[in-house]
Amino acid sequence: MASSTINCGFSPFHHTLGLFCRSRDGRLLNVEGKEADVVAYHWPAIFKRLKLSNTTFTPLSLGLRVETTIFDTVADLPGPSSSQSYNKLCVREVYRDTSKCYVGHLGYWSQDKCDEAFVEWIETMFILKTTIQPQQNQRVSIFTPHRIWDFTVERWAKIWFLFDTTLRTLLGVEPKPSISCYREVVTEKITVLFEQMLRNTAVSDEWNSSGRNYFSCRVRDFVNRNEPCNMVLPAFPCKSPSDAKVGGSRPDMAERIALETLHDFIESIKKIYKPGATILIIHDGHLLSSCIGVDDDVVSEYESDIQDLYRSMFAFSTDRQAIRFCGINDLFFSEPNSMQSFDNSWILDPELVHDPIQIKVSETAELSRKLVMASCGINRQHLRKLILAQDPATLKSYRGLSRFMLQDLEGSVFAGQSTSRKKKTACIIAAEMMARNQAYSNLLELLFPNYIRLSVHAHNNRGPKFGIRLFPRHRVRVIDDIDCRHECVSMYDFQTPTPWHSSIVKVKGDEIIYLMKASVARQAIASGRYTGGWVDDVDKGGYYLLQEADPVVPAKDDMGKVDTLGVFDVNDSCRSNKLTT
């Protein structure tokens, strides 16, 4: 079976063609979404039908109103991923006085939809919360891989001639640097900083072939408006429930270093671009809490602790602006207009969220999980079919997550279960996590369509997501063996463990610090080869501090020969550990 995608379903996201900005007279100012290039191509026909059709008006608070127009679809528009047929389009719009334009949602509409009230509510939420803005240039540039290359070549051709000193000399002129030239230079410098400071290389990396151009186009969009380059990163959910991986349930030195890494990147951008940049960290712990066996209140405490940690790291509020935080609860409940007409009966379907592990549930968090799945969830039956058909990409993710969760939940969650039961539960959890993660990604695509999307997971880096490293290579080395700590582990070249699944370990005498499972440090101490333990550093966060124990002095037997049985061979230990891992 050819490789397919799990992102198929019947949710409002899957009926969405795009989000757009337009002027009062109908000029398309920007469009984002999976069918953005198609919408741009058909926009004249779409707007013509929009003008000729009847519009209904729904008043909101603060003087806003939603304008809804339903009309016949335009020929050649691609249908939704579901097998159902849709012959109507629906446009919902709100006029934004701040940007002097309409912001709208374009999607398919059908009288057969079972929850039309919910669809209206969630699509209204999309246009109220989305960050899409008009582009500065009049021509709408669509961020799709096959069009970015031509766009970028055109831009760089202009730069080449602007900087050609030989041509300037021949013409006898020295023109002042243009604004467009300055913007191109800044865009390139920010892209280079990302390459050097954050980007993580993937096994099948497409950064050089297409991803770099995509990234630069996103940066340029902010630079053209002289605004901060906004990035979004789903991360910092909560500490792993596995004692074998972490030293505790609260943020420690690992989280601190990760925040420093992100902050240093933003500060480097500020040195070359005055508006700077920001990274919006969206906590995703509540999304997955019932998959990883962590109570909702524990997740909330971790989120609060992370934000407190970041504030404590910098004395001045201006230094704290590099990173902002929010959770999935904030995505839905921070907009008064969104919750004004919400009805809980819309999300009573028990199939919305499958909870593989029983936890202490927060009512607000559970509501958020259901809203994510109701608004952007995939078809689980389609996912199961792909797994059973052994679709290569789907099966790889499914098996990888199953193995990971089998290790992560080995402690209290899996206590007393048989091996077969553990494997079955891990597989159920993996499928549910894949469904939730994809739905969450879909939601962020709609709410932050113009933001640069970062991820702690490995990606091919062609866009729209880019994998990053939270630990600088020159400062932190990822290892799985203390005795062989001076050797790099190739498996971590493409996927660095996260702070919430690992622990920081310092070894006296070593300049570099290490990232590993907590159990590795504990085993090293228990073996007697190292002394030390957990250091609960209030200021810089907890970590393991180890020191090599004094070497064992070999004893002589009665004949004066050296007894070598008590001598510890580091090299033999390394080889032995490698064989057993």
Side-chain angles (χ1 to χ4, degrees):
M1 178 178 176
S3 181
S4 184
T5 175
I6 70 171
N7 198 12
C8 296
F10 307 95
S11 72
F13 169 86
H14 294 96
H15 295 107
T16 297
L17 284 165
L19 294 160
F20 63 86
C21 297
R22 72 167 179 90
S23 63
R24 287 185 180 273
D25 60 4
R27 184 163 51 91
L28 187 62
L29 304 175
N30 196 6
V31 58
E32 298 275 4
K34 56 183 180 291
E35 302 295 346
D37 50 350
V38 178
V39 172
Y41 180 80
H42 289 285
W43 181 254
I46 292 171
F47 183 68
K48 182 178 180 180
R49 297 190 182 187
L50 179 64
K51 286 195 304 180
L52 298 175
S53 303
N54 293 327
T55 298
T56 60
F57 302 91
T58 304
L60 303 173
S61 61
L62 305 176
L64 295 175
R65 66 177 184 177
V66 179
E67 302 180 19
T68 303
T69 310
I70 299 170
F71 51 91
D72 292 337
T73 189
V74 176
D76 299 328
L77 279 177
S81 59
S82 64
S83 59
Q84 299 180 36
S85 175
Y86 293 90
N87 56 9
K88 296 281 187 180
L89 292 177
C90 177
V91 170
R92 301 191 201 276
E93 299 178 298
V94 168
Y95 186 78
R96 283 187 186 171
D97 195 54
T98 53
S99 52
K100 305 299 181 185
C101 71
Y102 281 93
V103 173
H105 173 278
L106 173 65
Y108 285 98
W109 180 86
S110 172
Q111 290 179 328
D112 297 331
K113 292 182 183 178
C114 57
D115 292 319
E116 184 60 33
F118 172 72
V119 172
E120 179 181 357
W121 179 84
I122 197 67
E123 288 179 355
T124 300
M125 195 274 287
F126 291 158
I127 60 177
L128 291 175
K129 296 280 289 185
T130 184
T131 61
I132 190 173
Q133 298 183 62
Q135 289 189 356
Q136 288 298 97
N137 55 328
Q138 291 188 356
R139 190 184 78 174
V140 176
S141 303
I142 310 303
F143 296 100
T144 53
H146 65 280
R147 296 187 63 180
I148 288 175
W149 175 247
D150 294 336
F151 178 72
T152 306
V153 169
E154 176 189 341
R155 289 278 190 172
W156 279 103
K158 293 178 180 179
I159 296 176
W160 176 263
F161 289 108
L162 283 169
F163 278 95
D164 193 335
T165 54
T166 304
L167 182 62
R168 293 178 186 174
T169 303
L170 290 173
L171 296 175
V173 294
E174 282 292 334
K176 294 181 180 179
S178 66
I179 295 177
S180 61
C181 174
Y182 162 77
R183 290 171 177 169
E184 294 295 345
V185 171
V186 168
T187 298
E188 173 64 11
K189 286 184 177 181
I190 293 174
T191 303
V192 170
L193 280 176
F194 177 74
E195 285 179 314
Q196 296 174 344
M197 300 184 69
L198 279 192
R199 184 176 72 93
N200 193 31
T201 304
V203 176
S204 301
D205 201 273
E206 298 181 39
W207 170 260
N208 290 326
S209 60
S210 59
R212 195 180 196 278
N213 296 328
Y214 188 105
F215 185 91
S216 295
C217 284
R218 287 296 184 198
V219 172
R220 186 182 295 109
D221 192 35
F222 290 109
V223 173
N224 283 343
R225 291 195 300 271
N226 199 39
E227 294 178 355
C229 295
N230 290 314
M231 309 178 191
V232 61
L233 172 65
F236 298 93
C238 62
K239 281 291 192 183
S240 166
S242 173
D243 291 338
K245 292 185 175 182
V246 297
S249 62
R250 303 189 66 178
D252 51 41
M253 184 176 285
E255 277 86 353
R256 184 184 181 91
I257 294 175
L259 291 173
E260 287 174 349
T261 301
L262 297 173
H263 188 272
D264 289 347
F265 171 62
I266 299 300
E267 288 300 304
S268 297
I269 292 177
K270 285 177 64 177
K271 293 177 182 178
I272 61 172
Y273 178 56
K274 189 174 181 180
T278 61
I279 293 178
L280 175 63
I281 292 177
I282 302 183
H283 302 291
D284 48 0
H286 283 125
L287 178 75
L288 302 173
S289 55
S290 59
C291 290
I292 60 179
V294 179
D295 295 339
D296 280 332
D297 59 344
V298 175
V299 173
S300 298
E301 185 177 356
Y302 178 88
E303 291 181 358
S304 178
D305 288 343
I306 279 289
Q307 296 177 37
D308 289 342
L309 170 63
Y310 183 67
R311 283 190 290 267
S312 71
M313 290 165 59
F314 305 100
F316 303 101
S317 59
T318 52
D319 295 327
R320 302 172 191 154
Q321 294 174 1
I323 298 176
R324 296 179 290 126
F325 300 87
C326 79
I328 61 172
N329 298 339
D330 301 316
L331 296 180
F332 292 106
F333 306 131
S334 62
E335 172 58 60
N337 281 313
S338 297
M339 299 309 298
Q340 191 178 37
S341 56
F342 180 75
D343 188 338
N344 275 286
S345 66
W346 295 334
I347 53 170
L348 295 180
D349 184 358
E351 292 299 308
L352 281 177
V353 176
H354 299 166
D355 293 323
I357 303 173
Q358 295 300 312
I359 62 169
K360 293 180 181 178
V361 173
S362 156
E363 183 178 342
T364 303
E366 182 69 3
L367 177 58
S368 296
R369 285 190 285 269
K370 289 181 177 180
L371 283 172
V372 171
M373 302 309 292
S375 62
C376 299
I378 65 171
N379 184 340
R380 286 188 173 87
Q381 291 183 349
H382 176 72
L383 173 59
R384 283 194 289 270
K385 287 180 181 178
L386 290 177
I387 294 172
L388 292 174
Q390 297 190 9
D391 172 70
T394 306
L395 198 62
K396 181 180 179 182
S397 298
Y398 175 70
R399 286 176 172 171
L401 260 177
S402 298
R403 288 192 298 268
F404 182 85
M405 296 311 300
L406 196 60
Q407 296 175 356
D408 211 43
L409 301 176
E410 184 56 41
S412 58
V413 175
F414 281 164
Q417 294 188 17
S418 64
T419 301
S420 60
R421 179 63 181 172
K422 291 176 184 178
K423 290 182 178 180
K424 183 177 180 180
T425 304
C427 289
I428 294 172
I429 293 171
E432 180 64 14
M433 289 183 75
M434 290 174 70
R436 294 191 194 185
N437 281 328
Q438 185 60 64
Y440 200 43
S441 178
N442 293 343
L443 178 65
L444 298 187
E445 180 181 322
L446 292 174
L447 298 186
F448 306 98
N450 59 324
Y451 276 37
I452 299 167
R453 296 176 66 185
L454 308 178
S455 175
V456 297
H457 303 294
H459 287 277
N460 55 26
N461 292 327
R462 68 166 175 254
K465 298 179 185 178
F466 299 95
I468 65 170
R469 296 178 64 92
L470 292 176
F471 299 98
R473 294 179 188 271
H474 70 276
R475 186 179 177 189
V476 180
R477 179 178 298 154
V478 187
I479 61 172
D480 50 19
D481 190 318
I482 288 285
D483 295 317
C484 299
R485 64 186 179 276
H486 300 300
E487 303 173 12
C488 292
V489 184
S490 58
M491 66 177 290
Y492 297 128
D493 289 342
F494 303 108
Q495 181 63 62
T496 304
T498 60
W500 44 93
H501 285 113
S502 312
S503 298
I504 289 292
V505 176
K506 292 184 178 183
V507 179
K508 282 191 175 181
D510 291 4
E511 291 185 3
I512 200 166
I513 59 180
Y514 307 97
L515 186 73
M516 67 184 77
K517 294 178 181 178
S519 60
V520 177
R522 297 192 194 109
Q523 289 168 6
I525 297 170
S527 71
R529 303 192 306 272
Y530 293 83
T531 61
W534 179 260
V535 178
D536 196 6
D537 192 320
V538 177
D539 295 326
K540 295 187 177 181
Y543 63 97
Y544 284 96
L545 178 62
L546 305 184
Q547 182 175 3
E548 292 191 62
D550 294 333
V552 176
V553 179
K556 291 185 178 181
D557 60 16
D558 294 338
M559 301 297 294
K561 295 180 180 180
V562 176
D563 180 4
T564 58
L565 295 178
V567 180
F568 181 79
D569 189 332
V570 172
N571 292 326
D572 286 345
S573 172
C574 290
R575 287 192 290 270
S576 174
N577 284 335
K578 284 183 178 179
L579 290 173
T580 59
T581 52

